[in-house]
Amino acid sequence: MTARLSLYRKAEQELYKLDRVVKAQFYDFCHIFRQNPEQPGLDLKKLKGGSRIYRAKINQSYRALLAPVGVDADGTQSWLVVAVRHRKDVYDELQVAVNRVTGEIEFVDLAVVGDSALRRAGITLTTAEPDTDPATKPTPEAPATPPARPLLAGYDADQLRELGVADQIVDLALAVTNDAELDELLDGAPPLSKDILYGLAAGMGIDAVREEITAPVQLDQEPDPADLAAAFARTKVTTVDKHVQAAIEEGDFRAWRVYLHPAQEKIIGRQYGGPARVSGGPGTGKTVVALHRVKHLAEALPPGTDKPILVTTFTANLANDLRLRLASLVEPHLLTRVDVTHIDQLAARAVGENTTQRTRKRRISDHAAVTEMRQLLLELDEHRWDADFLVEEWEQVILGQAVQSRSDYFQVRRAGRGRALSRPERSQVWKLIEQLTARLNKLGVETWGQAAERAARYEMERAATIEARRTAGSSTNDSSSSGHLSYRYRHIVVDEAQDLRAAHWKMLRAMADPNLPDDIFIAGDTHQRIYNHQVSLGALGIHIRGRSARLTLSYRTTREILVRALLIADDKSISYDDLDDGTDTLAGYRSILHGPPPAFAGYGTWEDELAGLATTLAHWRAELSTSENGVSLDPAGHIAVCVTDHERVSQVMDYLTAKASMTCAELTKDGPVGDGAIHVGTMHRFKGLEYQRLAIVGASEGVLPRAGVERYRREDPVRYERELRKARSLLFVAATRARDALALSWHNAPSPLLAAVPVPSDRD
């Protein structure tokens, strides 16, 4: 009698934590079990108490827990390995069941739950194999104190079951009285139950949980709870084969596969009738969803050698990161059909196709353009206008809406710009911007905004030609036809979408066929927008209504860090758009991870703050350099320092190198330069990155936001709000790059952005 083995996701997670010897023995067990599950040495026995689970010996100490899930046409029995654990942790009450919402197999493990919580829920666990070693017997628990009010006292069992919480943990969920007990319970809970209960505990409310967590994964009709074979077909598992063996032996089992919770899987596999978007706070898995979406689309492509899928994002280092992560996820022959490039490079490519070498211009940053405008105003002795305001008006209104003439500029809407402009003032602005563009042209340069606007025009003209030929009856899909022209991409996937310019979106819209499904997939979070590129996708021809999903569970940042970061970002006086005509909110964001609370410290001077930073980094390096078992670890690349501006990058690196004997690497747009152990960069450079431990320094009043912003409070309230929102987003992004530990400091007075965050009142 032969068998087929598959691994449940929790079993994979448990295997990753085991000793290399046990991993190898597990694979040997799998080989023997496949040959004959009934071999006496495996000691295959069913657990008591009505369980559908069997246990089998891996070695003297470890057991595989398995469930039979069907028989193939050739008589081969399929088994699902649901857990791998020490025999003392095998209980007769362990269960597999079919979730009434998703129809997937779920394994519920109550062995991780504290005894007091189990007693309150009236649950007793019986060890399947009593442990005779006195050293492993638990210490008797102290007499229980009267229980506190249940954490989920506002809900009942029927509500939890209707949302999709596994039956086996409903009573326990209603009995837990604090976050620590909830964490214990959910450590062994199925993903959907975990999302639901954390959502309710975070205050989402039952309607929000039903809409955002349950509804996206709910089957059209309730599944048969007795049909494990059908449930197995719906469950994401890994077949045990030689590839799994290699991953186990390499000891990198968890990194070998990126898991998705059910709501994310639904987003990835769905066919959309037009552009679709996924939003979510930091660490909620937006990028992981986007990458798996690319994998899904690539696997569905017809045979060919072209590159019909575009993956794009805002910066070069983020594009490089996406490329590396795709390489570990997508088969090589499919990866060759994916074009991964950052958005400005894509625009430059489109411009290059439509210009000669002689007419091409060097691109400069917006900051350089402001410098040129400031010099122009000085030469003209013009004091009525601010250079930053004029360049933003040019970028956001004139280039953003492709305004071609002064008369058009008189008529164009300036939504969100704040300061109203009269007709004479618009005339003055237009003249100054004309003089700036002439100045840049004479220098042989252009801004990236100009390049994006030109690229958008070229691509829109190209798309108009394609549609005109279609209307005339010409087939654009016949590559043999004369003058064949087709859309550049079949699918476009955009990450960090909140930072793209309006012209970028026009270009992307023109690059993908709007008549085909799954044309554009967007991942972004407007709370993390760090540039002033505010757009309405609907107005740009990208309609996402009814095709949007929101992720709320953070897998990266600890709860302690996230709570304080949310206090920084969630200013009730400031609203955030949703990349369309609605608003976005941080309500319901939560984390399943725990860690030390962030450290906040104020200092009298910048020199004192740098000394405090050096002390913090030395402490972190000492902690990371030795693991629990005494094995030396390399902390390089795990610790970073984040500052507000480039000048402070140099100051921090100089101090740490000269006075603390630490090696540093500067974060640039292309990633860290050098092999220094401590990465140092501005807040903008930390976009999309994560570090085990992160220090933010210089978060002082007058620095964040910069002192000049205050004058807009009365002069231009809308701009003042926009500048505050951008500063909050920068600090929010920076704080949520920390995975395990965060330290934030200032000198003199703290930034007003920290007003809602509990910080020490006395300076060191």
Side-chain angles (χ1 to χ4, degrees):
M1 177 184 177
T2 60
R4 181 174 287 107
L5 277 175
S6 299
L7 289 175
Y8 187 66
R9 66 188 67 190
K10 187 164 183 61
E12 291 196 16
Q13 293 167 352
E14 291 176 340
L15 277 166
Y16 176 77
K17 300 173 185 177
L18 294 178
D19 180 85
R20 183 183 294 271
V21 174
V22 180
K23 292 175 184 177
Q25 290 173 334
F26 170 77
Y27 189 79
D28 291 340
F29 159 82
C30 291
H31 177 73
I32 297 169
F33 191 95
R34 286 198 301 258
Q35 298 300 315
N36 181 9
E38 297 180 353
Q39 286 195 34
L42 297 178
D43 194 25
L44 183 67
K45 292 181 180 178
K46 191 175 184 181
L47 298 183
K48 299 175 182 178
S51 176
R52 304 187 198 186
I53 296 177
Y54 289 71
R55 62 170 176 81
K57 281 187 178 181
I58 297 173
N59 60 25
Q60 283 300 109
S61 299
Y62 281 87
R63 303 292 181 260
L65 301 179
L66 314 95
V69 290
V71 180
D72 294 347
D74 62 359
T76 301
Q77 173 77 59
S78 287
W79 291 79
L80 180 64
V81 181
V82 295
V84 178
R85 67 216 10 221
H86 197 280
R87 60 189 178 87
K88 69 182 176 62
D89 295 321
V90 177
Y91 293 85
D92 284 326
E93 290 78 13
L94 292 169
Q95 295 282 346
V96 291
V98 178
N99 185 276
R100 64 171 52 80
V101 168
T102 66
E104 295 185 2
I105 289 177
E106 290 186 329
F107 169 62
V108 177
D109 180 10
L110 301 182
V112 296
V113 181
D115 287 345
S116 59
L118 289 169
R119 282 200 300 271
R120 286 201 302 275
I123 297 172
T124 302
L125 300 182
T126 306
T127 305
E129 297 182 60
D131 196 343
T132 57
D133 182 359
T136 62
K137 290 185 179 180
T139 303
E141 189 173 332
T145 57
R149 185 174 185 268
L151 195 63
L152 300 176
Y155 305 98
D156 60 41
D158 289 340
Q159 289 174 316
L160 298 190
R161 291 190 179 94
E162 182 262 335
L163 290 173
V165 176
D167 283 338
Q168 297 91 331
I169 64 174
V170 166
D171 291 340
L172 258 171
L174 294 172
V176 297
T177 59
N178 54 53
D179 286 341
E181 287 186 350
L182 184 64
D183 289 339
E184 283 182 340
L185 171 62
L186 297 187
D187 184 55
L192 181 60
S193 297
K194 186 176 295 187
D195 284 359
I196 292 167
L197 294 174
Y198 271 130
L200 294 175
M204 283 184 71
I206 196 165
D207 291 336
V209 168
R210 183 182 293 109
E211 178 182 352
E212 296 183 22
I213 298 175
T214 302
V217 299
Q218 191 158 19
L219 296 178
D220 293 334
Q221 63 183 71
E222 190 168 328
D224 181 355
D227 193 347
L228 277 188
F232 176 68
R234 302 184 192 102
T235 306
K236 190 171 184 178
V237 298
T238 301
T239 302
V240 177
D241 57 18
K242 62 182 180 180
H243 301 294
V244 175
Q245 179 188 19
I248 293 172
E249 291 172 350
E250 288 168 10
D252 194 20
F253 202 71
R254 183 172 56 187
W256 177 70
R257 185 162 183 151
V258 178
Y259 281 117
L260 303 160
H261 66 63
Q264 292 174 327
E265 290 184 59
K266 197 88 166 186
I267 295 169
I268 288 158
R270 180 180 169 189
Q271 184 179 80
Y272 297 94
R277 180 196 62 186
V278 59
S279 63
T284 54
K286 299 181 299 300
T287 299
V288 171
V289 167
L291 292 173
H292 276 270
R293 180 68 176 170
V294 174
K295 179 177 184 287
H296 170 77
L297 294 171
E299 290 174 343
L301 288 175
T305 57
D306 57 341
K307 288 180 177 283
I309 301 176
L310 168 69
V311 178
T312 189
T313 187
F314 190 67
T315 64
N317 60 329
L318 289 179
N320 290 335
D321 180 63
L322 292 176
R323 190 178 293 109
L324 289 172
R325 294 167 74 175
L326 275 173
S328 66
L329 187 66
V330 179
E331 292 294 327
H333 73 283
L334 293 177
L335 190 59
T336 61
R337 305 192 65 192
V338 180
D339 184 10
V340 185
T341 183
H342 68 89
I343 194 70
D344 282 330
Q345 184 180 23
L346 185 68
R349 190 190 303 169
V351 169
E353 287 184 9
N354 291 275
T355 54
T356 64
Q357 186 68 38
R358 186 176 60 84
T359 59
R360 289 176 189 170
K361 299 177 181 178
R362 180 173 59 86
R363 272 113 208 179
I364 62 172
S365 67
D366 291 350
H367 178 74
V370 170
T371 300
E372 290 297 333
M373 176 60 85
R374 193 171 288 124
Q375 181 63 32
L376 175 64
L377 295 176
L378 185 64
E379 293 170 4
L380 296 174
D381 196 26
E382 173 61 72
H383 304 289
R384 292 171 295 177
W385 300 100
D386 174 74
D388 289 282
F389 173 84
L390 291 172
V391 172
E392 283 185 4
E393 183 77 5
W394 180 36
E395 289 281 347
Q396 296 178 32
V397 178
I398 296 174
L399 292 178
Q401 299 185 55
V403 177
Q404 299 296 312
S405 67
R406 185 174 67 168
S407 59
D408 289 342
Y409 180 53
F410 287 159
Q411 304 299 321
V412 75
R413 292 180 68 249
R414 301 176 60 256
R417 288 292 295 143
R419 175 180 174 179
L421 296 179
S422 65
R423 187 179 180 89
E425 286 175 327
R426 290 201 189 201
S427 181
Q428 294 168 12
V429 169
W430 183 264
K431 183 176 180 180
L432 289 169
I433 290 173
E434 277 188 325
Q435 290 175 288
L436 175 65
T437 55
R439 184 187 188 94
L440 297 179
N441 190 54
K442 186 176 180 179
L443 293 171
V445 299
E446 66 179 348
T447 66
W448 285 104
Q450 285 178 288
E453 191 274 332
R454 281 207 290 156
R457 277 193 285 116
Y458 294 143
E459 290 302 314
M460 290 166 69
E461 290 168 3
R462 190 175 190 274
T465 300
I466 294 171
E467 291 303 319
R469 292 184 182 181
R470 281 184 175 177
T471 302
S474 170
S475 171
T476 62
N477 294 320
D478 182 5
S479 59
S480 65
S481 64
S482 175
H484 168 67
L485 195 66
S486 63
Y487 285 96
R488 295 188 186 275
Y489 301 103
R490 183 181 183 91
H491 309 293
I492 293 177
V493 176
V494 185
D495 192 32
E496 300 293 351
Q498 69 278 352
D499 286 320
L500 269 60
R501 307 172 192 264
H504 290 148
W505 289 112
K506 291 179 183 178
M507 176 183 69
L508 293 174
R509 175 63 285 173
M511 285 181 164
D513 191 341
N515 302 296
L516 296 178
D518 300 327
D519 51 344
I520 301 177
F521 187 84
I522 299 162
D525 172 24
T526 55
H527 288 87
Q528 298 183 64
R529 179 187 285 133
I530 58 176
Y531 299 94
N532 284 329
H533 304 147
Q534 191 160 338
V535 300
S536 171
L537 293 179
L540 299 172
I542 301 174
H543 303 286
I544 56 175
R545 295 289 176 87
R547 292 187 293 271
S548 295
R550 182 169 173 260
L551 304 176
T552 56
L553 184 63
S554 175
Y555 298 92
R556 178 181 66 220
T557 304
T558 66
R559 188 178 305 176
E560 289 76 10
I561 294 173
L562 185 61
V563 164
R564 287 157 180 82
L566 291 176
L567 291 174
I568 292 170
D570 199 15
D571 186 331
K572 303 303 181 186
S573 66
I574 295 177
S575 63
Y576 294 81
D577 66 282
D578 64 349
L579 288 176
D580 218 352
D581 294 325
T583 58
D584 196 10
T585 175
L586 290 168
Y589 286 136
R590 68 253 189 242
S591 173
I592 62 173
L593 306 173
H594 272 302
F600 292 86
Y603 298 88
T605 67
W606 176 228
E607 186 78 10
D608 291 339
E609 187 176 356
L610 290 175
L613 169 66
T615 300
T616 297
L617 297 182
H619 176 66
W620 284 350
R621 284 166 59 88
E623 286 185 335
L624 288 177
S625 63
T626 305
S627 66
E628 291 181 1
N629 59 7
V631 178
S632 179
L633 300 175
D634 181 8
H638 296 289
I639 301 175
V641 180
C642 180
V643 299
T644 53
D645 55 66
H646 194 265
E647 182 180 356
R648 284 181 172 81
V649 171
S650 300
Q651 293 171 357
V652 167
M653 293 179 67
D654 290 345
Y655 186 95
L656 294 179
T657 302
K659 297 191 177 182
S661 300
M662 296 181 185
T663 59
C664 299
E666 181 180 353
L667 282 177
T668 70
K669 63 183 179 66
D670 298 316
V673 175
D675 55 0
I678 309 296
H679 291 182
V680 184
T682 64
M683 291 181 173
H684 287 86
R685 294 296 179 217
F686 280 84
K687 186 73 173 174
L689 304 179
E690 67 175 66
Y691 286 87
Q692 195 166 345
R693 306 189 180 209
L694 176 76
I696 300 174
V697 294
S700 305
E701 184 178 19
V703 177
L704 191 70
R706 55 191 174 87
V709 169
E710 190 60 30
R711 65 190 175 93
Y712 300 128
R713 186 192 290 268
R714 279 198 295 263
E715 293 177 11
D716 192 345
V718 174
R719 183 174 183 182
Y720 178 72
E721 178 183 320
R722 188 168 64 246
E723 292 293 336
L724 280 185
R725 181 169 54 233
K726 184 169 71 172
R728 284 192 184 279
S729 293
L730 271 172
L731 187 54
F732 180 61
V733 167
T736 52
R737 300 309 96 189
R739 212 175 69 207
D740 299 330
L742 171 68
L744 189 151
S745 63
W746 61 89
H747 55 278
N748 296 326
S751 165
L753 303 181
L754 298 173
V757 185
V759 298
S761 56
D762 297 326
R763 295 175 186 157
D764 288 352

